[in-house]
Amino acid sequence: MKTQDLWEETYSAVTVNKVRSGLTMLGIVIGIASVIALVAVGQGAQSSIQANINSLGANLLIVMPGASRSFGSTVNAGRGTAETLTPDDATAIASQVSNVAAVSPEVQTREQVVASGANTNTTIEGVTPAYAQVRNLQIADGVFISSQDVTAANRIAVIGPTVLQDLYGDPNSNASATPADALGQTIRISGQDFTVVGVTVPKGGTGFMNQDNMVFVPLTAAQHYFLGSTSYVTEIDVEASTQAAMTQVQNDITNLLLQRHNIPDPTQADFNILNQADIVSAASSVTGTFTTLLAAIAGISLLVGGIGIMNMMLTTVTERTREIGLRKAIGAKKQDITMQFLAESVMLTFTGGAIGIALGWLAAVAVTALAHITTSVSLSSVLLAFGVSAGIGIIFGYYPARRAAALSPIEALRYE
Amino acid sequence: MNTKPIIACENIVKTYHNAGVDTAVLKGVSFSVAAGEFVAIMGPSGSGKSTLMHIIGALDTPSSGTYYLDGSDVSRLTDDELADIRREKIGFVFQAFNLLPRATVLRNVSLPLVYAGVAKEERERIAERALIDSAFPQAFWQHHSNQLSGGMMQRVAIARSLVNDPALILADEPTGNLDTKTGEIVLHTFQSLNTGHGKTVVLITHEPYVAEHADRIIHIRDGAILTDEKNPRRRIARGES
Ligand SMILES: Nc1ncnc2c1ncn2[C@@H]1O[C@H](COP(=O)(O)OP(=O)(O)O)[C@@H](O)[C@H]1O
Ligand SMILES: [Mg+2]
C-alpha cells in the first residue's frame, strides 16, 4: 500500500463522521491548548522574574545584617533589624577585598513624605554615589547624590518616578508629572525639608526589587535625621568586577567580616551574603516548579483526550468489522490494517494538536492583553506539543489498530 | 477445454474446536476444478458450503488435507501469505455485497489494487475496464455505492472481483439478497464472464434454480460431497434488455 493511498483512505475515513471526529479531537485540542497556554504563563513568569533580578545590577552581592537564614525568611523578616553592619565594614570591604568594582553601604527606612499638599508613605534609602553604579540606577533628569552631599549630610533628595507621580501628579487628570515639576522643589520627609535634585529612570519590577517607589538621600543625612545613629548600616551592596570573581569576593567578604566581628565559628555569623546568582537560581527553581505543576495539570487533560481517542477508535473498529474483513479478503495484510487505523488516530491527534497550539497561543496572547501577565510561547513547547499529540495518536491508537488487524477475515465477514 | 486444474482439493477436513467441543464441518472433501469451468457448489444451509469456500478462497486453512490453488500448495500458509494469494489469484463476491458505502463505484472497484500497490491512474484505468467487462452502466461510475440498487451493488462487487485479474472468481450466495429478476442479471454477468472472458467461476448456493446456471454441480451435505456431475441442461440467464 502506498503512503499517499494510506492518507487518502485515512482522510476519507476521518471525514465520513465529521461530528464524531471533531468531538474526539476536541479532547486533544483542549489538552494541547492548555499545555501551551499554561506553560506560556509559567515561562513568562520565569523570564520576568529573572529580568527583574538582573535589573538589580550586575555581579551583585548583598551583605545584610542578622544571622544566616533561609532566602525567603531573610527577605521577609525586616532587613536592618539587627545593627551588626557598620560603615567601617563597607570601607574595609572596599579597601581589603580584591576584584571589587564598587561598594555601596545603605540604610533603609519608611517615612511619610509630603510635598505641596500631596503625601505618600515610601521607602527612604540613604545611599552613597556608588549606589547608582551597583544597582544600575539611571538619572532621568537632574543629578544623583554626590560624595560632597554625603560628607556634608546635605538635605537633598533624588526621587523615583512613582514617587514623582504620587507627589506632583494630578489625580484628576491623565497628564503625568514631569521631572521639571519636582526639580528644585522642597519635600518634607518626616518633618525635615529636603530639596529634590534628581529623578530616576523607571525600572519596573515589583516588591522589594521596585526602585521606582523610593526616595534616595545621602547616607549620612538618613542616619542623622531618621535613624539617629551613624553607627550602623542596614545593607552593603558589593559589585564584583567580573562574574567569575563573585565566589572569591563572597568568600573574602565572609572571612573579612567574621574577623572584624570577632566570630570564630562561621555558622554563628551575624551577617548574611546574598549572591545574585543564588537569587536567580532560587527564583528559577520556584518558577520552574510552578511551570511543571501547570504543565502536569494540563497533561492530565491531554491524557483524558488520549483516552477519548482510544475509545472512539475501539468503537470504530467494532463498527467497521465487516469493512475490515472485506479489506483483508481482497488482500490487505495485517500491517496494512494496523497502519490504516494508526494513521486515523494520528491524523485526529495531529490535527487536534495543531488547532490546540493555535488556541493555546491565542489564549496566552489574551492572558497578556487582559490580565497583564507576561507569557512566553516557546518554540520548544510548540514542538513538544506536536510530538506529544502525534505520540498520543500512536500510543492510544495502537491497541485498537492491533485489534482491527488481528480480526479473522472470516469472522469479520460473518459479523452482523 | 483447458484441463489444468485451478482448484485441487485432496481430502479436506475442517474441524472447529469450541469450548472443548469438536465440530467436524468438512469431513474429507476431494474435488478439482479446471480453468475455465463454471461450477456450482450446492447444498442445504449448514452443510459446510461457506466453510469450503473460505478454504478454497484462501481465507482459511484446512485442519487436514491438501489444497492446491493454481498449482501451489496453500493449505499451510500464514495469514499474510494467504493475503498475498487472495490478492493475486482470487476475486470474491459475497451475499451481502460488502462495498464501502460512502465511496464511489470507481473507488470500490479499484480498492483491491490499492493493496497491490498500483498507482492511482493505473488503478482507475483497470477499474473502468472491469466495470465495462461486467456490463456496469457508465452513468453510475461516480455514484456512491449506497445510492445503488441491490442488483447494481452486486455488479460493482463483481467488477471489483475482476480488477486483479484473478484465476478464480468465488461467489457465496451472490443472489441470496436479490429478487429473481436482478438475480438473473447477476447470473448473466457471471455467465458472460465465464464464456466471454474465460474466467473460472465457483458459485455457492442452496437454490437448485441458481445452481442450474453452472455447467457442473457439486452437491454437498453434512460436510461431504454427495454428487459431482455435469449439468446437461444448463440454464442461460437473460441480461438487461
Ligand atoms: N467458527 C465456527 N465454529 C463452530 N462451528 C462453526 C463455525 N463456523 C461454522 N460452523 C458450523 O459449520 C457448519 C457449516 O457452516 P457453513 O459452512 O457456514 O454452512 P453453509 O454455508 O453451508 O450454510 C454450521 O453448522 C455452522 O454452525
Ligand atoms: Mg453459507
Side-chain angles (χ1 to χ4, degrees):
Chain A
M1 193 173 189
K2 292 186 190 306
T3 316
Q4 195 203 335
D5 293 329
L6 178 65
W7 288 115
E8 275 176 28
E9 289 288 323
T10 307
Y11 178 78
S12 62
V14 166
T15 48
V16 155
N17 200 332
K18 292 194 183 68
V19 174
R20 186 164 71 183
S21 299
L23 286 175
T24 312
M25 234 153 55
L26 198 58
I28 299 297
V29 170
I30 292 170
I32 291 287
S34 40
V35 168
I36 294 284
L38 293 180
V39 169
V41 168
Q43 291 188 336
Q46 195 154 352
S47 60
S48 78
I49 287 177
Q50 278 181 15
N52 270 337
I53 293 170
N54 289 330
S55 78
L56 286 177
N59 305 334
L60 182 65
L61 292 164
I62 300 171
V63 186
M64 298 197 296
S68 180
R69 280 162 293 187
S70 69
F71 170 61
S73 66
T74 307
V75 173
N76 294 333
R79 294 186 275 169
T81 46
E83 303 178 355
T84 53
L85 289 179
T86 65
D88 290 345
D89 286 336
T91 316
I93 290 168
S95 60
Q96 291 173 44
V97 177
S98 54
N99 295 322
V100 166
V103 177
S104 162
E106 295 150 34
V107 293
Q108 205 180 54
T109 172
R110 256 193 113 74
E111 303 293 347
Q112 202 68 19
V113 182
V114 185
S116 58
N119 75 92
T120 180
N121 185 283
T122 189
T123 304
I124 311 298
E125 188 93 17
V127 298
T128 63
Y131 184 88
Q133 179 187 345
V134 172
R135 285 303 192 93
N136 198 14
L137 192 70
Q138 262 132 39
I139 294 298
D141 213 338
V143 293
F144 195 63
I145 288 149
S146 68
S147 36
Q148 290 94 314
D149 294 327
V150 176
T151 314
N154 285 337
R155 288 192 287 183
I156 53 114
V158 172
I159 63 176
T162 308
V163 177
L164 172 70
Q165 296 310 321
D166 288 347
L167 295 180
Y168 296 100
D170 180 356
N172 300 319
S173 97
N174 280 335
S176 48
T178 60
D181 297 333
L183 288 180
Q185 302 292 316
T186 299
I187 56 175
R188 283 179 80 80
I189 306 173
S190 187
Q192 301 289 330
D193 283 347
F194 280 71
T195 305
V196 178
V197 298
V199 177
T200 63
V201 170
K203 287 184 79 173
T206 48
F208 75 97
M209 303 165 196
N210 188 351
Q211 291 168 305
D212 293 351
N213 190 13
M214 280 185 180
V215 173
F216 303 95
V217 299
L219 176 68
T220 44
Q223 287 172 325
H224 184 76
Y225 296 110
F226 310 132
L227 303 182
S229 161
T230 55
S231 64
Y232 69 95
V233 296
T234 56
E235 181 175 319
I236 301 171
D237 291 348
V238 180
E239 184 185 326
S241 51
T242 63
Q243 173 103 47
M246 285 184 77
T247 311
Q248 167 255 312
V249 172
Q250 182 171 2
N251 290 341
D252 289 357
I253 293 173
T254 306
N255 293 336
L256 177 68
L257 292 185
L258 286 173
Q259 178 204 325
R260 285 177 56 84
H261 296 187
N262 292 318
I263 300 168
D265 179 3
T267 63
Q268 299 297 313
D270 60 357
F271 59 89
N272 186 26
I273 302 179
L274 283 183
N275 183 321
Q276 190 176 20
D278 295 344
I279 304 175
V280 171
S281 79
S284 299
S285 92
V286 171
T287 53
T289 308
F290 174 65
T291 306
T292 309
L293 184 71
L294 291 179
I297 293 168
I300 289 168
S301 67
L302 204 52
L303 185 70
V304 173
I307 292 167
I309 292 277
M310 171 127 81
N311 190 31
M312 173 189 156
M313 292 308 296
L314 285 174
T315 311
T316 305
V317 168
T318 309
E319 278 178 3
R320 287 158 63 191
T321 299
R322 287 177 73 89
E323 178 201 319
I324 295 162
L326 169 80
R327 286 179 188 274
K328 293 191 103 174
I330 62 175
K333 293 190 189 190
K334 276 203 176 78
Q335 196 200 337
D336 295 322
I337 303 291
T338 308
M339 287 308 288
Q340 185 183 339
F341 281 85
L342 261 189
E344 272 177 42
S345 78
V346 169
M347 185 179 274
L348 285 174
T349 55
F350 213 77
T351 315
I355 298 170
I357 287 169
L359 279 185
W361 202 314
L362 283 180
V365 170
V367 163
T368 306
L370 301 176
H372 304 289
I373 295 171
T374 315
T375 58
S376 118
V377 177
S378 63
L379 180 67
S380 63
S381 70
V382 169
L383 291 179
L384 189 73
F386 262 122
V388 164
S389 53
I392 283 175
I394 292 170
I395 291 166
F396 289 96
Y398 187 75
Y399 172 66
R402 288 308 302 232
R403 264 215 357 199
L407 282 173
S408 137
I410 304 163
E411 295 304 321
L413 285 168
R414 218 176 246 160
Y415 183 84
E416 296 301 330
Chain B
M1 185 187 271
N2 192 344
T3 51
K4 176 181 163 250
I6 292 283
I7 294 173
C9 288
E10 288 169 12
N11 209 16
I12 298 287
V13 172
K14 184 69 185 181
T15 310
Y16 287 110
H17 313 274
N18 278 334
V21 183
D22 285 2
T23 319
V25 177
L26 296 177
K27 302 159 185 169
V29 172
S30 305
F31 70 103
S32 57
V33 174
E37 273 193 289
F38 190 142
V39 180
I41 296 177
M42 218 196 82
S45 188
S47 55
K49 304 183 299 291
S50 293
T51 306
L52 181 58
M53 173 189 114
H54 293 150
I55 291 170
I56 60 184
L59 286 163
D60 203 358
T61 50
S63 308
S64 72
T66 319
Y67 169 39
Y68 295 94
L69 172 62
D70 204 11
S72 54
D73 185 356
V74 299
S75 40
R76 303 283 176 271
L77 299 183
T78 65
D79 286 356
D80 277 352
E81 286 166 338
L82 289 175
D84 286 334
I85 297 286
R86 293 195 293 272
R87 200 181 59 234
E88 286 160 18
K89 306 209 160 158
I90 298 163
F92 288 99
V93 178
F94 302 98
Q95 179 173 356
F97 321 136
N98 289 321
L99 302 178
L100 302 184
R102 292 175 197 83
T104 62
V105 166
L106 209 56
R107 207 163 91 85
N108 265 291
V109 173
S110 53
L111 191 62
L113 300 173
V114 167
Y115 295 108
V118 178
K120 191 164 184 171
E121 298 74 42
E122 175 77 354
R123 249 175 10 224
E124 292 193 343
R125 205 182 53 73
I126 299 172
E128 285 166 10
R129 182 80 242 152
L131 282 164
I132 292 166
D133 285 353
S134 47
F136 187 88
Q138 183 159 11
F140 295 96
W141 285 4
Q142 295 299 337
H143 279 56
H144 283 193
S145 69
N146 56 359
Q147 300 168 328
L148 303 176
S149 69
M152 294 285 263
M153 285 202 217
Q154 198 57 302
R155 279 148 79 198
V156 174
I158 294 171
R160 181 181 64 196
S161 75
L162 293 173
V163 283
N164 50 353
D165 191 24
L168 177 64
I169 294 173
L170 276 179
D172 191 359
E173 309 270 11
T175 59
N177 280 3
L178 303 176
D179 60 49
T180 323
K181 188 166 169 288
T182 47
E184 187 86 5
I185 296 168
V186 165
L187 288 170
H188 172 79
T189 311
F190 281 121
Q191 284 187 327
S192 59
L193 286 173
N194 175 245
T195 49
H197 296 83
K199 292 286 177 193
T200 310
V201 178
V202 174
L203 181 98
I204 286 161
T205 182
H206 66 276
E207 291 180 79
Y209 173 79
V210 172
E212 283 162 16
H213 289 80
D215 48 27
R216 176 180 157 202
I217 301 175
I218 299 173
H219 277 267
I220 76 166
R221 181 146 310 172
D222 297 331
I225 291 179
L226 211 62
T227 60
D228 178 352
E229 49 204 13
K230 289 269 172 222
N231 176 18
R233 292 185 307 278
R234 185 183 190 188
R235 284 181 190 276
I236 304 300
R238 272 176 302 149
E240 275 167 307
S241 49

